[in-house]
Amino acid sequence: MARKEAKISIDDNEKAIILFGSNDENFKYLKSISDVDMFSRGGDILLSGEEERVNAVCELLRSLIDMVESEGQLTINDINYLNGLIAKGARVRAQDLVSGPLLTTIRGKVIKAKTLGQKRYIQSILRDDIVFSIGPAGTGKTYLAVVMAVRALKNKEVERIILVRPAVEAGEKLGFLPGDLIEKVNPYLRPLYDSLFDILGVDVTQRYLEKNIIEVAPLAYMRGRTLNDAFIILDEAQNTTPQQMKMFLTRLGFGSKAVVTGDVTQVDLPKEEYSGLVEVQRILHLVKGISFEYLSKQDVIRHPLVQNIIDAYEIFEANDGKSK
């Protein structure tokens, strides 16, 4: 195959610093995934290798520079995501990927949608009153739902936030755990607390919990209630039964919005039970005002290894549980 040499120039020293990353960690990661010889000289990046690979890396670098210009920052997750899109033949610009600022956390971190899937998810939450977000771990399903709930609360679009999870026994029987029912289910609700602490801080979260502005509850506590002027999130919805899913969705009152998140590959229900999240896709997919957003491994924004782990499990399962 023909070989090619190329040069990508960065016209601004500050942009170059952001692109290369702290201690050149971004540049080192780029070299590790590029399959070409890559060197830096001042504001130039020199490439040499097989023509097809050099062309792909040039396109990746231009997209990364575009992201630096539009966002003023760049992470290894950004590199990983853009590289995956380009490998699939997609032509992307940074402006197409990110939403505007959604919220600023207590520590001053600006939160935005960072992938095309996340952007569609956010747009659906803004548009529809019931949104289902289905996808693997690390795609931001729960975190972005909590972000949008806090945003709605701050904008006075709702009066309270209600965060709900099914308490499915996984390994330990609830009856044998110490404490009353709330103390027994608290470990299941921990990821929701963690998201709130990150966004609002511990003190504000505790104050909102005490005033019942934020309520965190097991799914069983929703029966018989009508929830008005609330932003309701049902997390880990793959572990609801069809009856529980129907019960939850019919709690929606006036001025309320519901987001249901889950991963249909991680069902912890007993074998004889059917997942309400699997069933509801067939029942409600044509109902106006309800959206189903499907996030994929390309939307994973955790450590790059998480995507590799998802890939490995998919291959393993495709081969009926046999390693290749």
Side-chain angles (χ1 to χ4, degrees), residues 40-123:
S40 63
R41 185 182 298 153
D44 296 332
I45 296 175
L46 309 175
L47 308 168
S48 176
E50 293 181 357
E51 183 175 8
E52 186 178 334
R53 287 301 307 146
V54 169
N55 290 340
V57 176
C58 285
E59 187 176 349
L60 174 59
L61 285 167
R62 291 188 190 102
S63 296
L64 294 174
I65 292 168
D66 187 25
M67 178 163 278
V68 168
E69 289 175 348
S70 65
E71 294 295 295
Q73 60 183 16
L74 186 71
T75 68
I76 285 176
N77 283 326
D78 297 327
I79 296 169
N80 209 41
Y81 179 62
L82 282 167
N83 185 53
L85 288 180
I86 289 169
K88 289 191 162 188
R91 291 191 170 275
V92 291
R93 299 187 310 160
Q95 301 94 295
D96 299 327
L97 293 178
V98 293
S99 65
L102 300 172
L103 201 67
T104 301
T105 70
I106 192 73
R107 291 177 291 182
K109 174 189 170 187
V110 177
I111 302 171
K112 301 180 181 182
K114 297 288 285 185
T115 72
L116 293 171
Q118 287 187 354
K119 191 173 182 180
R120 287 194 305 270
Y121 178 29
I122 293 302
Q123 289 168 342

Coordinates of all heavy atoms in Angstrom, one line a residue, residues 40-123:
S40 N 5.9 15.8 16.7 CA 5.6 17.3 16.8 C 6.8 18.1 16.7 O 7.9 17.7 17.1 CB 4.9 17.6 18.2 OG 5.8 17.3 19.3
R41 N 6.6 19.2 16.0 CA 7.8 20.2 15.9 C 7.1 21.6 15.9 O 6.5 22.0 15.0 CB 8.5 20.0 14.5 CG 9.7 20.8 14.3 CD 10.3 20.6 13.0 NE 10.8 19.2 12.8 CZ 10.9 18.6 11.6 NH1 10.5 19.2 10.5 NH2 11.3 17.4 11.6
G42 N 7.3 22.2 17.1 CA 6.7 23.5 17.3 C 5.2 23.4 17.2 O 4.6 22.5 17.9
G43 N 4.5 24.1 16.3 CA 3.1 24.0 16.2 C 2.7 23.1 15.1 O 1.5 23.1 14.7
D44 N 3.6 22.3 14.6 CA 3.3 21.3 13.5 C 3.3 19.9 14.0 O 4.1 19.5 14.9 CB 4.3 21.4 12.4 CG 4.3 22.8 11.7 OD1 3.2 23.4 11.7 OD2 5.4 23.2 11.2
I45 N 2.4 19.1 13.5 CA 2.3 17.7 13.7 C 2.6 17.0 12.4 O 1.9 17.2 11.4 CB 1.0 17.2 14.3 CG1 0.7 17.9 15.6 CG2 0.9 15.7 14.4 CD1 -0.7 17.6 16.2
L46 N 3.7 16.2 12.4 CA 4.1 15.5 11.2 C 3.7 14.0 11.2 O 3.9 13.3 12.3 CB 5.7 15.6 11.1 CG 6.3 17.0 11.2 CD1 7.8 16.9 11.2 CD2 5.7 17.9 10.1
L47 N 3.1 13.6 10.1 CA 2.6 12.2 10.1 C 3.2 11.4 8.9 O 3.5 12.0 7.8 CB 1.1 12.3 9.8 CG 0.3 13.1 10.8 CD1 -1.2 13.3 10.3 CD2 0.2 12.5 12.2
S48 N 3.4 10.2 9.1 CA 4.0 9.3 8.1 C 3.5 7.9 8.3 O 3.5 7.4 9.4 CB 5.5 9.3 8.1 OG 6.1 8.4 7.2
G49 N 3.0 7.3 7.1 CA 2.5 5.9 7.2 C 1.7 5.5 6.0 O 1.8 6.2 5.0
E50 N 0.9 4.5 6.2 CA 0.0 4.1 5.1 C -1.0 5.2 4.7 O -1.5 5.8 5.6 CB -0.7 2.8 5.4 CG 0.2 1.6 5.6 CD -0.6 0.3 5.9 OE1 -1.9 0.4 6.1 OE2 0.0 -0.8 6.0
E51 N -1.2 5.4 3.5 CA -2.0 6.6 3.0 C -3.4 6.6 3.7 O -3.8 7.7 4.1 CB -2.1 6.5 1.5 CG -2.9 7.7 0.9 CD -2.9 7.7 -0.6 OE1 -2.5 6.7 -1.2 OE2 -3.3 8.7 -1.2
E52 N -4.0 5.5 3.7 CA -5.4 5.5 4.3 C -5.4 5.9 5.7 O -6.3 6.6 6.2 CB -6.0 4.1 4.1 CG -7.4 4.0 4.5 CD -8.0 2.6 4.3 OE1 -7.5 1.9 3.4 OE2 -9.0 2.2 5.0
R53 N -4.4 5.4 6.5 CA -4.3 5.7 7.9 C -3.9 7.2 8.1 O -4.5 7.8 9.0 CB -3.3 4.8 8.6 CG -3.8 3.4 8.8 CD -5.1 3.3 9.7 NE -4.9 4.0 10.9 CZ -6.0 4.6 11.5 NH1 -7.1 4.7 10.9 NH2 -5.8 5.3 12.6
V54 N -3.0 7.7 7.3 CA -2.6 9.1 7.5 C -3.8 10.0 7.2 O -4.0 11.0 7.9 CB -1.4 9.4 6.5 CG1 -1.1 10.9 6.5 CG2 -0.1 8.7 7.0
N55 N -4.6 9.7 6.2 CA -5.7 10.5 5.8 C -6.7 10.5 7.0 O -7.3 11.5 7.3 CB -6.4 9.9 4.6 CG -5.6 10.2 3.3 OD1 -4.7 11.1 3.3 ND2 -5.9 9.5 2.3
A56 N -6.9 9.3 7.6 CA -7.9 9.2 8.7 C -7.4 10.0 9.9 O -8.2 10.7 10.6 CB -8.1 7.8 9.1
V57 N -6.1 9.9 10.2 CA -5.5 10.7 11.4 C -5.6 12.2 11.1 O -5.8 13.0 12.0 CB -4.1 10.2 11.7 CG1 -3.5 11.0 12.8 CG2 -4.1 8.7 12.1
C58 N -5.3 12.6 9.9 CA -5.4 14.0 9.5 C -6.8 14.5 9.8 O -7.0 15.6 10.3 CB -5.0 14.2 8.1 SG -3.3 14.2 7.7
E59 N -7.8 13.7 9.4 CA -9.2 14.1 9.6 C -9.5 14.2 11.1 O -10.2 15.1 11.5 CB -10.2 13.1 8.9 CG -11.6 13.6 8.9 CD -12.5 12.7 8.2 OE1 -12.1 11.8 7.4 OE2 -13.8 12.8 8.3
L60 N -9.0 13.2 11.8 CA -9.2 13.2 13.3 C -8.6 14.5 13.9 O -9.2 15.2 14.7 CB -8.6 12.0 13.9 CG -8.6 11.9 15.4 CD1 -10.0 12.0 16.0 CD2 -7.9 10.6 15.9
L61 N -7.4 14.8 13.5 CA -6.7 16.0 14.1 C -7.4 17.3 13.7 O -7.6 18.2 14.6 CB -5.2 16.0 13.6 CG -4.3 15.1 14.2 CD1 -3.0 15.0 13.4 CD2 -4.0 15.5 15.6
R62 N -7.9 17.4 12.5 CA -8.7 18.6 12.2 C -10.0 18.7 13.0 O -10.3 19.8 13.5 CB -9.1 18.5 10.7 CG -7.8 18.7 9.8 CD -8.3 18.9 8.3 NE -7.1 18.8 7.4 CZ -6.8 17.7 6.7 NH1 -7.5 16.6 6.8 NH2 -5.7 17.7 5.9
S63 N -10.6 17.6 13.3 CA -11.8 17.6 14.1 C -11.5 18.0 15.6 O -12.2 18.7 16.2 CB -12.5 16.2 14.1 OG -13.0 15.9 12.8
L64 N -10.3 17.5 16.0 CA -9.9 17.8 17.4 C -9.5 19.3 17.5 O -9.9 19.9 18.5 CB -8.7 16.9 17.8 CG -9.0 15.4 17.9 CD1 -7.7 14.6 18.2 CD2 -10.0 15.1 19.0
I65 N -8.9 19.8 16.5 CA -8.5 21.2 16.5 C -9.8 22.1 16.5 O -10.0 23.1 17.2 CB -7.6 21.6 15.4 CG1 -6.2 20.9 15.6 CG2 -7.5 23.1 15.2 CD1 -5.3 21.0 14.3
D66 N -10.8 21.6 15.7 CA -12.1 22.3 15.7 C -12.8 22.3 17.1 O -13.3 23.3 17.5 CB -13.0 21.5 14.7 CG -14.3 22.2 14.4 OD1 -14.4 23.4 14.6 OD2 -15.3 21.5 14.0
M67 N -12.7 21.1 17.8 CA -13.2 21.0 19.1 C -12.5 22.0 20.1 O -13.2 22.6 20.9 CB -13.2 19.6 19.6 CG -13.7 19.4 21.0 SD -14.2 17.7 21.5 CE -15.8 17.6 20.7
V68 N -11.2 22.0 20.0 CA -10.4 22.9 20.9 C -10.9 24.4 20.6 O -11.1 25.2 21.6 CB -8.9 22.8 20.6 CG1 -8.1 23.9 21.2 CG2 -8.4 21.4 21.1
E69 N -11.1 24.7 19.4 CA -11.5 26.1 19.0 C -12.9 26.4 19.5 O -13.1 27.5 20.0 CB -11.4 26.3 17.5 CG -10.0 26.4 17.0 CD -10.0 26.4 15.4 OE1 -11.1 26.2 14.8 OE2 -8.9 26.7 14.9
S70 N -13.8 25.5 19.5 CA -15.2 25.7 19.9 C -15.4 25.5 21.4 O -16.2 26.2 22.0 CB -16.1 24.8 19.1 OG -15.9 23.5 19.4
E71 N -14.6 24.6 22.0 CA -14.9 24.3 23.4 C -13.8 24.8 24.4 O -14.1 25.0 25.6 CB -15.0 22.8 23.6 CG -16.1 22.1 22.9 CD -17.4 22.6 23.5 OE1 -17.7 22.3 24.7 OE2 -18.2 23.3 22.8
G72 N -12.6 25.1 23.8 CA -11.5 25.5 24.7 C -11.0 24.4 25.6 O -10.3 24.7 26.6
Q73 N -11.3 23.2 25.3 CA -10.8 22.1 26.1 C -10.8 20.8 25.3 O -11.5 20.7 24.2 CB -11.7 21.9 27.4 CG -13.1 21.6 27.1 CD -13.9 21.4 28.4 OE1 -13.5 21.8 29.4 NE2 -15.1 20.9 28.2
L74 N -10.1 19.8 25.7 CA -10.1 18.5 25.0 C -9.7 17.4 26.0 O -8.7 17.6 26.8 CB -9.1 18.6 23.9 CG -9.0 17.3 22.9 CD1 -10.3 17.3 22.1 CD2 -7.8 17.4 22.0
T75 N -10.4 16.3 26.0 CA -10.0 15.2 26.9 C -9.8 13.9 26.0 O -10.1 13.9 24.8 CB -11.2 14.9 27.9 OG1 -12.3 14.4 27.1 CG2 -11.6 16.1 28.6
I76 N -9.2 12.9 26.7 CA -9.0 11.6 26.0 C -10.4 11.0 25.6 O -10.5 10.4 24.5 CB -8.2 10.7 26.9 CG1 -6.7 11.1 26.9 CG2 -8.3 9.2 26.4 CD1 -5.9 10.3 27.8
N77 N -11.4 11.3 26.4 CA -12.7 10.8 26.0 C -13.2 11.4 24.7 O -13.8 10.8 23.8 CB -13.8 11.1 27.1 CG -13.6 10.1 28.3 OD1 -13.3 9.0 28.1 ND2 -13.9 10.6 29.5
D78 N -12.9 12.7 24.5 CA -13.3 13.4 23.3 C -12.5 12.8 22.1 O -13.1 12.5 21.0 CB -12.9 14.9 23.3 CG -13.7 15.6 24.4 OD1 -14.9 15.3 24.6 OD2 -13.1 16.6 25.0
I79 N -11.2 12.5 22.3 CA -10.4 11.9 21.2 C -11.0 10.5 20.9 O -11.1 10.2 19.7 CB -8.9 11.8 21.7 CG1 -8.3 13.1 21.9 CG2 -8.1 11.0 20.7 CD1 -7.0 13.1 22.6
N80 N -11.3 9.7 21.9 CA -11.8 8.4 21.7 C -13.1 8.4 20.9 O -13.3 7.6 20.0 CB -12.0 7.7 23.1 CG -11.8 6.2 23.0 OD1 -10.9 5.7 22.3 ND2 -12.7 5.5 23.7
Y81 N -14.0 9.3 21.3 CA -15.3 9.4 20.6 C -15.2 9.8 19.2 O -15.7 9.2 18.3 CB -16.2 10.4 21.4 CG -17.6 10.5 20.8 CD1 -18.4 9.4 20.7 CD2 -18.0 11.7 20.3 CE1 -19.7 9.5 20.1 CE2 -19.3 11.8 19.7 CZ -20.1 10.7 19.6 OH -21.3 10.8 19.0
L82 N -14.4 10.9 18.9 CA -14.3 11.4 17.6 C -13.6 10.3 16.7 O -13.9 10.1 15.5 CB -13.5 12.7 17.5 CG -14.3 13.9 17.9 CD1 -13.4 15.1 18.2 CD2 -15.3 14.3 16.9
N83 N -12.6 9.7 17.3 CA -11.9 8.6 16.5 C -12.8 7.5 16.1 O -12.8 7.0 15.0 CB -10.7 8.1 17.4 CG -9.9 7.1 16.6 OD1 -9.4 7.3 15.5 ND2 -9.7 5.9 17.2
G84 N -13.7 7.1 17.0 CA -14.7 6.1 16.7 C -15.7 6.5 15.6 O -16.0 5.7 14.7
L85 N -16.1 7.8 15.6 CA -17.0 8.2 14.6 C -16.3 8.2 13.2 O -16.9 7.8 12.2 CB -17.5 9.7 14.9 CG -18.5 9.8 16.0 CD1 -18.8 11.3 16.2 CD2 -19.8 9.0 15.7
I86 N -15.1 8.7 13.2 CA -14.3 8.8 11.9 C -14.0 7.4 11.4 O -14.1 7.2 10.2 CB -13.1 9.7 12.1 CG1 -13.5 11.1 12.3 CG2 -12.1 9.5 10.9 CD1 -12.3 12.0 12.8
A87 N -13.7 6.5 12.3 CA -13.5 5.1 11.9 C -14.7 4.5 11.2 O -14.6 3.6 10.3 CB -13.1 4.3 13.0
K88 N -15.9 5.0 11.5 CA -17.1 4.5 10.9 C -17.5 5.3 9.6 O -18.5 5.1 9.1 CB -18.3 4.6 11.9 CG -18.2 3.6 13.0 CD -19.5 3.6 13.8 CE -19.6 2.3 14.6 NZ -20.9 2.1 15.2
G89 N -16.6 6.2 9.2 CA -16.9 7.0 8.0 C -17.7 8.2 8.2 O -18.1 8.9 7.2
A90 N -18.0 8.6 9.5 CA -18.8 9.8 9.7 C -17.9 11.1 9.6 O -16.7 11.1 9.9 CB -19.3 9.8 11.1
R91 N -18.5 12.1 9.0 CA -17.9 13.4 8.9 C -18.5 14.3 10.0 O -19.7 14.6 9.9 CB -18.0 14.0 7.5 CG -17.2 13.2 6.5 CD -17.1 14.0 5.2 NE -16.2 13.4 4.3 CZ -14.9 13.6 4.3 NH1 -14.4 14.5 5.1 NH2 -14.1 13.0 3.4
V92 N -17.7 14.7 11.0 CA -18.3 15.4 12.1 C -17.6 16.7 12.3 O -16.4 16.9 12.0 CB -18.2 14.6 13.4 CG1 -19.2 13.4 13.3 CG2 -16.8 14.1 13.7
R93 N -18.3 17.7 12.9 CA -17.7 19.0 13.3 C -18.1 19.1 14.8 O -19.1 18.6 15.3 CB -18.3 20.1 12.6 CG -18.1 20.1 11.1 CD -18.5 21.4 10.4 NE -19.8 21.8 10.8 CZ -20.3 23.0 10.7 NH1 -19.6 24.0 10.2 NH2 -21.6 23.3 11.0
A94 N -17.2 19.8 15.5 CA -17.4 19.9 17.0 C -18.8 20.5 17.3 O -19.4 20.2 18.2 CB -16.3 20.7 17.6
Q95 N -19.2 21.5 16.5 CA -20.5 22.2 16.7 C -21.6 21.2 16.7 O -22.7 21.5 17.3 CB -20.7 23.3 15.7 CG -19.6 24.4 15.7 CD -18.5 24.1 14.6 OE1 -17.8 23.1 14.8 NE2 -18.3 24.9 13.6
D96 N -21.5 20.2 15.9 CA -22.6 19.2 15.8 C -22.7 18.3 17.0 O -23.7 17.7 17.3 CB -22.4 18.3 14.5 CG -22.4 19.1 13.3 OD1 -23.1 20.1 13.2 OD2 -21.7 18.8 12.3
L97 N -21.6 18.2 17.7 CA -21.5 17.2 18.8 C -22.0 17.7 20.1 O -22.8 17.0 20.8 CB -20.0 16.8 19.1 CG -19.4 16.0 17.9 CD1 -17.9 15.7 18.3 CD2 -20.1 14.7 17.7
V98 N -21.7 18.9 20.5 CA -22.0 19.4 21.8 C -23.2 20.3 21.9 O -23.5 21.0 20.9 CB -20.7 20.2 22.4 CG1 -19.6 19.2 22.7 CG2 -20.3 21.3 21.5
S99 N -23.9 20.3 23.0 CA -25.0 21.2 23.2 C -24.4 22.4 23.8 O -23.3 22.5 24.1 CB -26.0 20.5 24.2 OG -25.4 20.4 25.4
G100 N -25.3 23.4 24.0 CA -24.9 24.6 24.8 C -24.8 24.1 26.3 O -25.1 23.0 26.6
P101 N -24.2 25.0 27.1 CA -24.1 24.7 28.5 C -25.5 24.3 29.1 O -26.5 25.0 28.9 CB -23.6 26.0 29.2 CG -22.9 26.7 28.0 CD -23.7 26.4 26.8
L102 N -25.6 23.2 29.8 CA -26.8 22.8 30.5 C -26.9 23.3 31.9 O -28.0 23.7 32.3 CB -26.9 21.2 30.5 CG -26.9 20.6 29.1 CD1 -26.8 19.1 29.2 CD2 -28.1 21.0 28.3
L103 N -25.7 23.3 32.6 CA -25.7 23.6 34.0 C -24.3 23.7 34.4 O -23.4 23.2 33.8 CB -26.3 22.4 34.8 CG -26.9 22.7 36.2 CD1 -28.1 23.6 36.1 CD2 -27.3 21.4 36.8
T104 N -24.0 24.5 35.5 CA -22.7 24.6 36.1 C -22.8 24.0 37.5 O -23.6 24.4 38.3 CB -22.3 26.1 36.2 OG1 -22.2 26.7 34.8 CG2 -20.8 26.2 36.7
T105 N -21.9 23.1 37.7 CA -21.9 22.4 39.0 C -21.4 23.3 40.1 O -20.9 24.4 39.9 CB -21.0 21.1 39.0 OG1 -19.6 21.5 39.0 CG2 -21.3 20.2 37.8
I106 N -21.5 22.8 41.4 CA -21.1 23.6 42.5 C -19.6 23.9 42.5 O -19.2 25.0 43.0 CB -21.4 22.8 43.8 CG1 -21.3 23.7 45.1 CG2 -20.6 21.6 43.9 CD1 -22.4 24.7 45.2
R107 N -18.9 23.1 41.8 CA -17.4 23.4 41.6 C -17.0 24.1 40.4 O -15.9 24.3 40.0 CB -16.7 22.0 41.7 CG -16.7 21.3 43.0 CD -16.0 20.0 43.0 NE -16.8 19.0 42.2 CZ -16.4 17.8 42.0 NH1 -15.3 17.3 42.5 NH2 -17.1 17.0 41.2
G108 N -18.0 24.6 39.7 CA -17.8 25.5 38.5 C -17.6 24.7 37.2 O -17.2 25.3 36.2
K109 N -17.8 23.4 37.2 CA -17.7 22.6 36.0 C -19.0 22.8 35.1 O -20.1 22.7 35.6 CB -17.5 21.1 36.3 CG -17.5 20.2 35.1 CD -17.6 18.8 35.6 CE -17.8 17.8 34.5 NZ -18.1 16.4 35.0
V110 N -18.7 23.2 33.8 CA -19.8 23.4 32.9 C -20.2 22.0 32.3 O -19.3 21.3 31.8 CB -19.5 24.4 31.8 CG1 -20.6 24.5 30.8 CG2 -19.2 25.7 32.4
I111 N -21.5 21.7 32.4 CA -21.9 20.4 31.9 C -22.6 20.6 30.5 O -23.5 21.4 30.4 CB -22.9 19.7 32.8 CG1 -22.3 19.5 34.2 CG2 -23.4 18.4 32.3 CD1 -23.2 19.1 35.3
K112 N -22.2 19.8 29.5 CA -22.8 19.8 28.2 C -22.9 18.4 27.7 O -22.2 17.5 28.2 CB -21.8 20.5 27.2 CG -21.5 21.9 27.5 CD -20.6 22.5 26.5 CE -20.2 24.0 26.8 NZ -19.3 24.6 25.8
A113 N -23.8 18.2 26.8 CA -23.9 16.9 26.1 C -22.6 16.8 25.3 O -22.2 17.7 24.6 CB -25.1 16.8 25.2
K114 N -22.0 15.6 25.3 CA -20.7 15.4 24.6 C -20.7 14.5 23.4 O -19.6 14.3 22.8 CB -19.7 14.9 25.7 CG -19.4 15.9 26.8 CD -18.6 17.1 26.4 CE -17.2 16.8 26.2 NZ -16.4 17.9 25.9
T115 N -21.8 13.9 23.1 CA -21.9 13.0 22.0 C -23.1 13.2 21.2 O -24.1 13.9 21.7 CB -21.8 11.5 22.4 OG1 -23.1 11.1 23.0 CG2 -20.7 11.2 23.4
L116 N -23.2 12.7 20.0 CA -24.4 12.9 19.2 C -25.6 12.3 19.9 O -26.7 12.8 19.9 CB -24.3 12.3 17.8 CG -23.2 13.0 16.9 CD1 -23.0 12.2 15.7 CD2 -23.7 14.4 16.6
G117 N -25.4 11.1 20.5 CA -26.5 10.4 21.2 C -27.0 11.2 22.4 O -28.2 11.3 22.7
Q118 N -26.0 11.7 23.2 CA -26.4 12.5 24.3 C -27.1 13.8 23.9 O -28.1 14.2 24.6 CB -25.1 12.9 25.1 CG -24.5 11.8 25.9 CD -23.4 12.2 26.8 OE1 -23.0 13.4 26.8 NE2 -22.9 11.3 27.6
K119 N -26.7 14.4 22.8 CA -27.4 15.6 22.3 C -28.9 15.3 22.0 O -29.8 16.1 22.3 CB -26.7 16.2 21.1 CG -27.1 17.6 20.7 CD -26.2 18.2 19.7 CE -26.7 19.6 19.3 NZ -25.8 20.2 18.3
R120 N -29.1 14.2 21.3 CA -30.5 13.8 21.0 C -31.3 13.5 22.2 O -32.5 13.9 22.3 CB -30.5 12.5 20.1 CG -30.0 12.7 18.7 CD -30.4 11.5 17.8 NE -29.8 10.3 18.4 CZ -28.7 9.8 18.1 NH1 -27.9 10.4 17.2 NH2 -28.2 8.6 18.6
Y121 N -30.7 12.9 23.2 CA -31.3 12.6 24.5 C -31.7 13.9 25.2 O -32.9 14.0 25.6 CB -30.3 11.9 25.3 CG -30.7 11.5 26.7 CD1 -32.0 11.2 27.1 CD2 -29.7 11.3 27.7 CE1 -32.3 10.8 28.4 CE2 -30.0 10.9 29.0 CZ -31.3 10.7 29.3 OH -31.6 10.3 30.6
I122 N -30.9 14.9 25.2 CA -31.2 16.2 25.9 C -32.3 16.9 25.1 O -33.3 17.4 25.7 CB -30.0 17.1 25.9 CG1 -28.9 16.5 26.8 CG2 -30.3 18.5 26.3 CD1 -29.3 16.3 28.2
Q123 N -32.3 16.8 23.8 CA -33.3 17.5 23.0 C -34.7 16.8 23.2 O -35.7 17.5 23.3 CB -33.0 17.4 21.5 CG -31.8 18.3 21.1 CD -31.3 18.1 19.7 OE1 -31.5 17.0 19.2 NE2 -30.5 19.1 19.2

